[in-house]
Amino acid sequence: GKFGKGKGKGKDEEDGEKKEGEEGEKKEGDEEVARDSRFSPIASAQREARLRFEKDILDRMQGRWGDEADPNITYVVEGSICSVSSGDGGRGFRNRLSVYGVEFCWDARRFWHYLNLPELYSQGEIAEKLEWNPAKDSPPTTQIVWNRLPPLSEVEEEAKEGEGEGEKKEEKAEEKEAEEKPAEAAPAEAAPEASA
């Protein structure tokens, strides 16, 4: 019979009859795989396009930035993370930069901004200025403008060169003093010899 013991799946296949849910028909598990966006070619293509779009923008933004309104605030973009720090040594923040729909979003949790993309693309491969406009659903905030700063390594090198030049000037001054002292000392030594 139909419900007898010992008959598993496929036992009735010997009769050549197809039962409901067998070969040729989609099973419930197959439909779930088809509905899963990870396997959909359209969803995969959209995700890849979004990632390319995000990477293109992030590549233009990498590096150090200064706040146009407050020169004490600096932003460092590394990958998709923006580190915000103030010059007074206060608390620093790490915010996510990502694509949200068709906008590029800076999510600072208490507010969020969208990047002015036409302005970014008008600057070429490496942007020197970024305009962040408040997002329409963001709590009240103002536009924030970033200006590119030289990489930290260059700033440190310039500071060291400045210190190094100061040290070189000191060394040259010491050398001049050393040269002048023997010249002054030589006539004083010569005078006693002449009197002797």
Side-chain angles (χ1 to χ4, degrees), residues 5 8 10 18 21 29 77 80 86 88 103 109 112 117 160 170:
K5 288 187 177 185
K18 290 184 182 177
V77 177
S80 62
S86 57
D88 61 4
E103 299 286 348
R109 293 198 179 108
W112 44 97
L117 292 172
K160 286 180 184 176
E170 289 175 15

Side-chain angles (χ1 to χ4, degrees), residues 3 30 42 45 64 83 98 123-124 149 151 159 165 168:
F3 300 104
D30 292 339
I42 294 171
R64 292 182 65 237
S83 301
S98 63
Q123 297 180 50
L149 297 174
E165 288 175 9
K168 288 178 185 175

Side-chain angles (χ1 to χ4, degrees), residues 21-61:
E22 290 184 3
E23 276 182 58
E25 292 183 25
K26 289 185 177 180
K27 296 179 183 169
E28 205 171 302
D30 292 339
E31 289 175 15
E32 287 176 19
V33 169
R35 278 186 253 150
D36 189 350
S37 64
R38 291 180 293 168
F39 299 102
S40 167
I42 294 171
S44 295
Q46 289 172 334
R47 185 177 60 252
E48 288 170 10
R50 181 182 53 80
L51 291 173
R52 280 192 310 272
F53 172 62
E54 186 173 289
K55 183 183 181 315
D56 178 51
I57 294 170
L58 287 170
D59 287 348
R60 295 168 189 252
M61 296 175 59

Side-chain angles (χ1 to χ4, degrees), residues 117-131:
L117 292 172
E119 176 68 25
L120 172 73
Y121 286 119
S122 70
Q123 297 180 50
E125 289 298 313
I126 302 294
E128 294 299 320
K129 182 177 183 179
L130 300 177
E131 291 180 8

Side-chain angles (χ1 to χ4, degrees), residues 54-55 57-59 61-63 76-82 95-97 104:
E54 186 173 289
K55 183 183 181 315
I57 294 170
L58 287 170
D59 287 348
M61 296 175 59
Q62 298 300 302
V76 178
V77 177
E78 294 175 334
S80 62
I81 301 295
C82 170
N95 306 139
R96 175 115 169 91
L97 302 170
F104 193 80

Side-chain angles (χ1 to χ4, degrees), residues 181-196:
K181 286 180 183 176
E184 292 171 3
E189 290 174 5
E193 289 176 13
S195 60

